Amino acid sequence: MVSINQLLNTHFAGKVVRKDLTKLVKGNAIVPTYVLEYLLGQYCATDVEDTIAEGVENVRNIIAQHFVHRDEAQMIKSTIREKGSHRIIDKVSVRLNDRKDVYEADFANLGLNKVVIDDQIVKEHKKLLSSGVWCIVTMGYMPSDERDVSPWVIDNLKPIQIANIDVTDYKETRERFTKEEWIDALMQSIGLNPVEFSFRSKLLQLSRLIPFAENNYNLVELGPKGTGKSHIYSEMSPHAILISGGEVSKAKLFVNNTTGDIGLVGYWDVVAYDEFAGKDKRADRGLVDILKNYMANKSFSRGTQVYGAAASMVFVGNTDHSVPYMLKHSNLFEALPKDYYDTAFLDRVHAYLPGWEVQKLRNEMFTTAYGFIVDYLAEVLKELRKEDYTQAYTSYFRLSDTITTRDKDAIAKTFSGLVKLIYPHGQFTENEAKELLDFAIENRKRVKQQLIKMDETFEEVDFSYTQLSNGQVVSIETLEVLEFGPNRSEPAAFTAPVDSSDSSPKPSNEAGIPPAAPGQRILRDNQTNVTFADLFAPYLVGATKVVVTDPYIRLPYQLRNFMEFARLLAASLPAGEEISLHLATFNNEDYLANSREALKEIGDSLEGSGIQFTFEFDETIHDRAIECNNGWKIVLGRGLDIYQKTNGRFDLAEYMQEKRLCKACEITYLQI
């Protein structure tokens, strides 16, 4: 099997880099990842170890000799003066001095201000006129006897970004990857190890890139600290700017009425508000009103002039309470500043990413494999902004007529952005389109559900669609409502299994266990509040013999899952009764001895609990199921392995099943 690394190095030679190299060269330089990977791409875009080692050393030397640390600025100035010319790496911003009719550059780390810069350089790189661009600059020093003439000279300036990309080649090469391979390649490109993420978790991470690929896309992500919400907007692209939510004005964001200067939305593809949440934060109400108009109409006006822009707006911040608390007592926008807690403003949001689903980043979640040089990926996404896939889903699906135009536009833009990321060549199946449409609808429905709670003038909307191929109507619900919503039973010893189409409460028997019924339970990626008691207890009532067939009871966490199933049997066994539990499983020859020893330990531990445990190894088994002699068979899509990896032994999820994230799977209940 060809690895992702081999595929990338074969088909994108010179455009990929090993992602752990940035840590090797960064040192104490406070520079974005795209700056470092730009340099690594010049010297280390290969899989030849000797060349990589040599390239890393070259980049280290460049950073050491040319990157300007603030505390070494005077030393760099002295070097420029002594040598007459010296190349530096610094963040440069430019302003027009209308009194002298010249452009003047400011250097963030070097500390030089009002250095005259040639008009032609500014015309070629207009983004210099905003809040600053990382550049490689050749600085000269020419002392003059004339009064008020600065000795500092900009001999040459080049923004740090890849000059040319071939989007057609990018699209054609995408066809050589499967969907899974391409998604994993993108995950590695943003520095993450795809093995540690479920499919839904990968979609959540990649959705942060939609604003780079889609014009005028409005995204909100609120969640706990430490999940990397703002990282991608400060580190991954020279076309995005991350600003503090409390440090922006109408003049800075849109246009300065005094000078006529266009603000950030005129120069950047993505403007991201960091630390956006905070009830006590103050905001300019006038700014919110202009934002509302811009987010809805892609234009803004100050004075008599109307301007258009394509910048996407991203708002990221931290939540104050748990999701169950917010759903019960307030809403998912409760943490926003008062002036942004405005339904007219929030209705312009195309998608609300559930930041609480994103796990805090651990060391093993970062990749050491290859991925696209982020600057290359950023340039491709910038080019893809020119394309439109907002109507691509209509070949397979028709949205409900009750969905408003604004809701449809939001869903279509999210779908279009995901297509550009995952299927840039425009080729996808009905099932692949369904995955993206379901996700897009859910993230818009999350917005609408909160607006309805905040303002009674917003009406309920049927977020469903019809599959044109078979006429089936599919209704979409947000994951947190399935987990903690009003139709969800309060946590108890056991929860009745429910069909996704039937949320009505079921009567319980004397033991408090709801009655068993044939049907199917569909678990979604990242779903929580799911326990073995919830899934299996009603079907074990009255059984005296249980057979578990699961070929994958071998790894420590799989053995833990099996022990938790045995614990469920022991807890539900009437006093003085016994039950037979048999496990049919398998393992590789090299590990059979260890598995046999572990299962014998399980048998020893179950003695005295009323459970008579036996096991066998059967290399022919493939299907996974639980069969009981009370007439029930439970078909397990993934066996007992329904939970994702926890964050470690001190993670509450290690001890409470309802806190664990699920893997997507189906469980079917049959009466035999």
Side-chain angles (χ1 to χ4, degrees), residues 4 28 51 80 172 191 265 345 398 411 435 499 555 623 664:
I4 304 296
N28 62 344
T51 306
I80 298 170
E172 291 175 352
V265 296
F345 167 74
R398 184 179 66 252
I411 292 165
E435 290 174 335
D499 193 326
L555 299 176
D623 294 339

Side-chain angles (χ1 to χ4, degrees), residues 257-432:
N257 278 349
T258 303
T259 65
D261 292 341
I262 298 295
L264 299 176
V265 296
Y267 295 103
W268 299 91
D269 289 347
V270 181
V271 178
Y273 280 62
D274 193 14
E275 299 175 355
F276 180 61
K279 292 181 182 179
D280 298 330
K281 289 186 177 179
R282 308 282 302 177
D284 182 344
R285 187 66 213 177
L287 172 62
V288 178
D289 290 337
I290 297 176
L291 258 177
K292 280 193 288 192
N293 182 67
Y294 173 73
M295 291 165 65
N297 303 315
K298 310 173 189 177
S299 64
F300 57 93
S301 60
R302 298 222 49 207
T304 59
Q305 189 80 18
V306 177
Y307 304 87
S312 295
M313 308 299 293
V314 178
F315 307 91
V316 296
N318 300 325
T319 48
D320 296 327
H321 297 290
S322 67
V323 173
Y325 180 94
M326 289 188 285
L327 290 178
K328 183 175 182 179
H329 298 285
S330 55
N331 60 75
L332 299 178
F333 286 122
E334 66 156 21
L336 296 189
K338 177 182 177 182
D339 292 302
Y340 288 102
Y341 192 80
D342 178 328
T343 55
F345 167 74
L346 296 173
D347 195 23
R348 270 75 170 171
V349 172
H350 295 125
Y352 183 154
L353 289 186
W356 50 86
E357 284 190 40
V358 182
Q359 295 185 53
K360 292 192 175 183
L361 296 175
R362 311 181 304 271
N363 286 336
E364 61 267 29
M365 294 174 122
F366 295 100
T367 187
T368 58
Y370 283 81
F372 293 119
I373 296 169
V374 290
D375 192 36
Y376 169 73
L377 182 60
E379 294 304 315
V380 168
L381 296 181
K382 182 176 179 64
E383 285 298 307
L384 290 176
R385 288 170 77 90
K386 301 173 184 176
E387 303 187 8
D388 182 14
Y389 289 98
T390 54
Q391 298 302 310
Y393 72 88
T394 59
S395 299
Y396 299 115
F397 313 106
R398 184 179 66 252
L399 294 181
S400 165
D401 292 335
T402 68
I403 299 179
T404 67
T405 299
R406 182 164 284 168
D407 292 330
K408 286 181 179 178
D409 289 344
I411 292 165
K413 287 181 76 69
T414 301
F415 180 86
S416 176
L418 290 171
V419 168
K420 292 176 186 180
L421 290 168
I422 302 172
Y423 309 104
H425 54 324
Q427 300 174 22
F428 46 85
T429 66
E430 180 178 344
N431 284 337
E432 290 169 340

